[in-house]
Amino acid sequence: MVIHYRRPAEAWTEALPIGNGQLGAMVFGGTGSERIALNEDTVWAGERRDRTNPDALKSLPEIRRLLRVGKPDEAEALAERTMIAVPKRLPPYQPLGDLRILFPGHDQADDYRRELDLDSAMVRVSYRVGDATFRREVFASAKDQVLVVRLTCDRPGRLAFSATLDRERDARAEAVAPDRVLLRGEAIARDERHEDERKVGVKFSAFLRVVTEGGRVFTEGDRVEVRDADAATLRLVAATDFRSKDPDAACERALAAADRPYEPLRSEHEDDHRSFFRRVSLEFAAPGDKDDRAALPTDVRLARVRKGESDPALIAQYFQFGRYLLIASSRPGTMPANLQGIWNESLTPPWESKYTININTQMNYWPAEVANLAELHQPLFDLIEAMRPSGRQTAKALYGARGFMAHHNTDLWAHTVPVDKVGSGLWPMGAAWLSLHLWDHYDFGRDRDFLAQRAYPVMKEAAEFLLDYLVDDGQGQLIPGPSISPENRYRTADGKVAKLCMGPTMDVEIAHALFGRVVEASELLDLDPDFRKRVAEARRRLPSLRIGKHGQLQEWLEDYDEPDPGHRHISHLFALHPGDQISLRGTPELAVAARTTLERRLAHGGGRTGWSRAWIINFWARLGDGEQAHENVVALLRKSTLPNLLDTHPPFQIDGNFGGTAGIAEMLLQSHSGEISLLPTLPRAWPTGQFRGLRARGGVDVALSWQNGRATLAELTARVAGRHRVRPPLGQRIEAVNLGDNAIAFQTAGDGTISLEVEPEKTYRIRFR
């Protein structure tokens, strides 16, 4: 499975991404000069500091009173002064620098090819100069924590180049041995957006070592020079003082550990990557079918899709590219994927390339469980754990509450205060939503130790905050607030346009979901019966979901008009996806209202950003509309995908890739409503295909094949014992279930589902009619 091009990248948005969770790189593939743009996941400007606004808690009652009496403008002004952090902005994630390689005499080259092999996680470049063919292989090894560049030529003694490291500012490169260069610097925010920040940041080091086969190696200034070599291997390592007191020493240790021949480095890297990547396969074609479009460069195929051509194989490749990106940007022990995964070119990136936790960070991890990459969820859990101390302080200082919470942004230091401004920052549900990811991890794998030791304590503490934060409205309901519906505005009856409110629908839905998971976990673990009763009672007192005058699901407690009815956020459909409070069969009236909401958003230009379009795919999948889901998959490719297949907001933002991958999986397999639903949203454009390795809740791996729009065979492999309700595709019935050579008796319910008791490590084959 290869993404390939016939020319080098001219811009960063055309370069090809590699990564190992800690180190990331964008490979341009130039002939006369190669640029490999480098990232390290902890290179952040700023520092850990107390940003709490000291006036927050005493102003909270007045802000709530102003909202209750219909003065949101005054409430917002007061909140802006007294609740938003000091300073207001968090500093950015920044690039490490660039690896530059110059090849004299290679500016004019023939037979050029640049490719990213998703299966081996390797970028390859090949071209011919005269009678010599030059080849380049680049990968980032997670096993050895090293970036490797292999340079070869089919003519002995013809390899010559110079290599160095550089950075736009705040760093300096120097040759420290005949075969190596050191880049040392500090990540510092130096723009007007962060004028209140102290000019400090994470200190970093990167070492580049060049080893040749034949020829000469020497240094010239800050460059390593190579002459007359047969081949060369470049190894790059990096470290920061966030993880190590002495980054230089950490780099030296990493270089020493990676001081092995090229072939073992490469093969062990490939084995490690494939242990994740090969868990899932997906084809939208019959077995053995050949698609001639695979020979076309990827940018050409993408251009054809933009002109209206159908390319299901490119969609399957896009799905696998999303899985590849998660493997490359989120490994156990690293930071989680941020707004740009791990790949960032700018010292002043859009939205600081932070962790935006009112949708974007969560979307990054939607594919983790269903796409069989559960271990890669771990960095997000580590960040949540790191947020708990700060989140407790923020809960107490701003809301006088117990438990822990977070607002809409966090960073390397797990800050939890509201930043930027009221209209985006004063949203206190970040920790509550994030904690649901721990439940999902449990639900897909059913590891009770994980539930007891990691998931339940976090969910319980997030629920403790909500119990103190919710306000009795005087009519028996518990209302969240002050808050916003991210990052939308509403218009009051007297014409005021506002953001801050009491009781936005999304907050109610998140509280409903979290309280339900806490109750269920408490029952499973037989813990905290008194707390369970309090949570269950609070859930009962939450406002019910409401249908507005347009037939839409209301976004606020009041049926306000919207100044921007096509807004990119569709927060109030959280209960449809990723939540499950709204479902086609369980709440049909609310499902119709959710559909109306989607139709209105799209009719007014919604889905303009890549991540928003990706969320819309998941919504349509949950609503069972395969044609609308597919239409939005295609729209994601046509309108929000860069030449290298990365998502664009615009500008580049990686959540659309992950959300799109999750949406494609959601069209093929769902398991959120207490049943495993097979091909729930299959569009006509994918009449024949097969997948293997997708996961359903309850610890079940699923494989399935279909022809002419009808399922032919499914295989369910259980990881844990359990009973599952299985729903066949619409219009089909389950004909037989076999365990090995033995048929299993089953009964079909009136809705077409069957109940299946499974045992661990056994595969159940299901046939359809």
Side-chain angles (χ1 to χ4, degrees):
M1 183 159 284
V2 174
I3 298 167
H4 65 101
Y5 305 84
R6 291 174 179 158
R7 58 181 179 82
E10 295 180 0
W12 190 91
T13 50
E14 296 178 357
L16 295 174
I18 58 171
N20 61 18
Q22 179 184 344
L23 286 172
M26 297 290 284
V27 183
F28 283 63
T31 57
S33 64
E34 170 68 283
R35 176 191 174 194
I36 301 178
L38 304 170
N39 293 101
E40 200 275 352
D41 65 334
T42 61
V43 176
W44 288 69
E47 62 188 334
R48 185 190 305 277
R49 61 187 295 186
D50 185 359
R51 299 170 179 273
T52 306
N53 194 316
D55 298 322
L57 185 57
K58 63 184 178 184
S59 71
L60 181 63
E62 178 63 8
I63 291 169
R64 285 174 169 162
R65 187 193 71 81
L66 290 168
L67 291 171
R68 283 195 299 267
V69 300
K71 297 181 178 180
D73 49 348
E74 294 182 29
E76 288 180 13
L78 179 58
E80 197 74 54
R81 294 194 307 272
T82 62
M83 296 197 77
I84 296 300
V86 184
K88 289 186 175 183
R89 299 188 73 98
L90 294 176
Y93 173 63
Q94 291 190 341
L96 174 66
D98 290 308
L99 167 58
R100 310 270 186 177
I101 311 174
L102 301 179
F103 299 93
H106 289 205
D107 291 321
Q108 300 299 318
D110 299 310
D111 298 334
Y112 181 88
R113 181 182 172 95
R114 173 173 60 104
E115 67 179 36
L116 169 60
D117 185 337
L118 300 181
D119 182 62
S120 64
M122 185 175 301
V123 170
R124 299 187 186 94
V125 178
S126 64
Y127 57 89
R128 182 170 51 82
V129 176
D131 62 348
T133 297
F134 294 86
R135 290 186 171 85
R136 200 175 305 163
E137 294 182 336
V138 189
F139 63 88
S141 167
K143 182 181 183 301
D144 290 292
Q145 286 302 314
V146 61
L147 177 76
V148 180
V149 182
R150 175 70 168 177
L151 306 173
T152 61
C153 178
D154 66 350
R155 300 288 182 177
R158 296 276 286 275
L159 186 63
F161 64 90
S162 64
T164 192
L165 301 173
D166 64 26
R167 192 175 193 262
E168 185 178 338
R169 67 173 188 229
D170 303 321
R172 179 174 176 270
E174 60 178 318
V176 292
D179 61 353
R180 69 189 67 188
V181 171
L182 163 65
L183 179 73
R184 189 184 289 124
E186 183 173 3
I188 298 174
R190 296 184 185 274
D191 66 293
E192 66 278 1
R193 294 177 300 173
H194 305 97
E195 58 186 15
D196 294 331
E197 287 291 330
R198 291 187 285 271
K199 303 306 177 194
V200 297
V202 168
K203 295 180 175 63
F204 58 84
S205 297
F207 277 67
L208 172 69
R209 185 187 179 201
V210 180
V211 177
T212 64
E213 296 167 27
R216 298 180 296 127
V217 185
F218 57 96
T219 56
E220 186 76 33
D222 62 358
R223 297 177 179 273
V224 175
E225 301 279 350
V226 172
R227 298 288 183 271
D228 308 321
D230 300 331
T233 302
L234 287 65
R235 297 176 179 83
L236 182 138
V237 297
T240 73
D241 66 357
F242 182 81
R243 288 197 174 103
S244 174
K245 292 182 179 179
D246 187 342
D248 285 7
C251 286
E252 292 282 8
R253 289 192 297 271
L255 268 184
D259 187 16
R260 295 183 291 129
Y262 175 72
E263 289 303 328
L265 283 173
R266 170 181 165 163
S267 63
E268 290 173 13
H269 155 74
E270 290 178 334
D271 289 347
D272 169 73
H273 171 76
R274 287 169 177 161
S275 71
F276 295 101
F277 188 77
R278 289 187 174 180
R279 294 174 184 177
V280 174
S281 62
L282 172 63
E283 293 179 89
F284 293 132
D289 281 2
K290 186 176 181 181
D291 189 340
D292 292 337
R293 285 171 297 204
L296 295 174
T298 302
D299 51 348
V300 173
R301 295 176 71 179
L302 193 58
R304 290 187 175 190
V305 170
R306 291 195 181 109
K307 292 178 180 178
E309 184 174 309
S310 175
D311 193 342
L314 183 62
I315 292 173
Q317 190 173 59
Y318 183 90
F319 167 84
Q320 291 286 30
F321 181 61
R323 296 182 67 249
Y324 165 87
L325 292 173
L326 192 59
I327 297 167
S329 63
S330 182
R331 290 294 194 101
T334 73
M335 295 300 296
N338 61 44
L339 273 175
Q340 297 180 193
I342 196 175
W343 301 278
N344 166 38
E345 180 185 32
S346 174
L347 294 168
T348 56
W351 304 283
E352 286 80 32
S353 193
K354 301 187 298 288
Y355 299 103
T356 301
I357 56 175
N358 64 11
I359 173 64
N360 312 92
T361 300
Q362 289 89 338
M363 184 178 285
N364 285 358
Y365 286 88
W366 286 353
E369 301 297 333
V370 67
N372 217 330
L373 299 171
E375 302 95 317
L376 309 188
H377 226 152
Q378 188 66 46
L380 182 63
F381 303 156
D382 293 342
L383 179 62
I384 296 168
E385 195 66 40
M387 292 165 65
R388 289 174 75 183
S390 174
R392 293 174 192 133
Q393 178 183 341
T394 302
K396 182 177 181 180
L398 270 67
Y399 301 99
R402 295 165 298 171
F404 95 110
M405 56 82 62
H407 292 87
H408 92 300
N409 270 163
T410 190
D411 62 2
L412 180 68
W413 294 279
H415 287 109
T416 55
V417 289
V419 298
D420 298 341
K421 52 190 175 182
V422 164
S424 55
L426 200 56
W427 180 76
M429 303 298 290
W433 187 351
L434 284 173
S435 70
L436 293 171
H437 278 253
L438 289 102
W439 171 266
D440 280 343
H441 184 73
Y442 161 73
D443 204 13
F444 274 90
R446 299 294 170 91
D447 181 343
R448 288 179 64 91
D449 289 340
F450 176 84
L451 179 64
Q453 296 167 18
R454 296 212 68 179
Y456 180 67
V458 171
M459 292 191 301
K460 178 183 178 183
E461 194 170 7
E464 285 175 334
F465 166 74
L466 291 182
L467 291 175
D468 288 353
Y469 168 70
L470 295 169
V471 179
D472 191 315
D473 70 347
Q475 300 177 351
Q477 295 188 121
L478 293 177
I479 308 295
S483 187
I484 60 172
S485 185
E487 298 162 6
N488 207 356
R489 303 173 295 160
Y490 62 93
R491 181 178 285 112
T492 63
D494 60 0
K496 294 177 182 175
V497 174
K499 293 184 177 181
L500 201 61
C501 66
M502 297 294 291
T505 297
M506 184 195 216
D507 292 19
V508 173
E509 293 169 334
I510 292 174
H512 186 277
L514 178 60
F515 286 165
R517 302 314 188 209
V518 168
V519 168
E520 188 172 353
S522 171
E523 291 172 342
L524 286 167
L525 299 171
D526 194 21
L527 292 173
D528 301 326
D530 293 338
F531 184 73
R532 183 194 315 154
K533 290 177 183 177
R534 288 183 57 213
V535 170
E537 174 62 13
R539 187 185 194 217
R540 185 189 66 79
R541 294 177 61 191
L542 291 171
S544 59
L545 301 181
R546 304 177 184 187
I547 298 175
K549 56 181 175 286
H550 302 292
Q552 89 286 6
L553 191 73
Q554 285 184 199
E555 191 163 353
W556 297 273
L557 282 177
E558 302 296 327
D559 193 9
Y560 294 124
D561 287 327
E562 297 177 76
D564 181 9
H567 197 266
R568 62 194 179 278
H569 284 260
I570 318 177
S571 303
H572 49 312
L573 293 193
F574 172 92
L576 177 64
H577 183 278
D580 59 6
Q581 188 179 351
I582 297 175
S583 65
L584 270 176
R585 299 173 185 86
T587 59
E589 291 185 1
L590 291 175
V592 170
R595 183 183 185 96
T596 301
T597 299
L598 268 182
E599 290 170 343
R600 282 178 53 79
R601 272 290 201 268
L602 289 167
H604 289 88
R608 292 183 295 266
T609 67
W611 64 263
S612 180
R613 182 71 66 179
W615 202 356
I616 289 168
I617 297 166
N618 286 273
F619 288 144
W620 285 122
R622 287 284 174 94
L623 290 171
D625 194 324
E627 301 316 308
Q628 288 282 3
H630 177 261
E631 180 180 316
N632 282 275
V633 170
V634 173
L636 184 63
L637 288 173
R638 286 178 178 165
K639 300 178 181 180
S640 300
T641 301
L642 295 162
N644 57 6
L645 294 188
L646 287 175
D647 171 73
T648 180
H649 182 285
F652 162 58
Q653 199 167 288
I654 205 166
D655 38 25
N657 286 106
F658 294 133
T661 291
I664 293 166
E666 199 76 16
M667 295 168 70
L668 302 172
L669 176 69
Q670 294 180 18
S671 59
H672 59 283
S673 293
E675 63 184 34
I676 298 173
S677 183
L678 305 173
L679 296 184
T681 321
L682 186 69
R684 290 189 297 269
W686 304 341
T688 299
Q690 54 274 317
F691 67 78
R692 179 172 296 276
L694 294 182
R695 299 175 70 220
R697 291 170 177 83
V700 178
D701 289 3
V702 181
L704 193 146
S705 58
W706 67 96
Q707 290 183 337
N708 300 318
R710 296 180 65 81
T712 55
L713 176 67
E715 295 181 345
L716 275 58
T717 303
R719 300 190 183 194
V720 296
R723 179 173 290 276
H724 301 280
R725 190 162 76 244
V726 181
R727 181 176 295 278
L730 186 67
Q732 291 190 256
R733 306 281 279 185
I734 292 176
E735 183 177 71
V737 179
N738 283 74
L739 178 59
D741 295 329
N742 301 317
I744 296 177
F746 63 91
Q747 287 186 328
T748 303
D751 63 356
T753 61
I754 68 166
S755 181
L756 187 63
E757 187 84 28
V758 300
E759 299 178 34
E761 309 306 324
K762 293 186 176 180
T763 297
Y764 299 79
R765 296 168 63 86
I766 300 175
R767 296 193 178 277
F768 306 86
R769 65 176 185 269

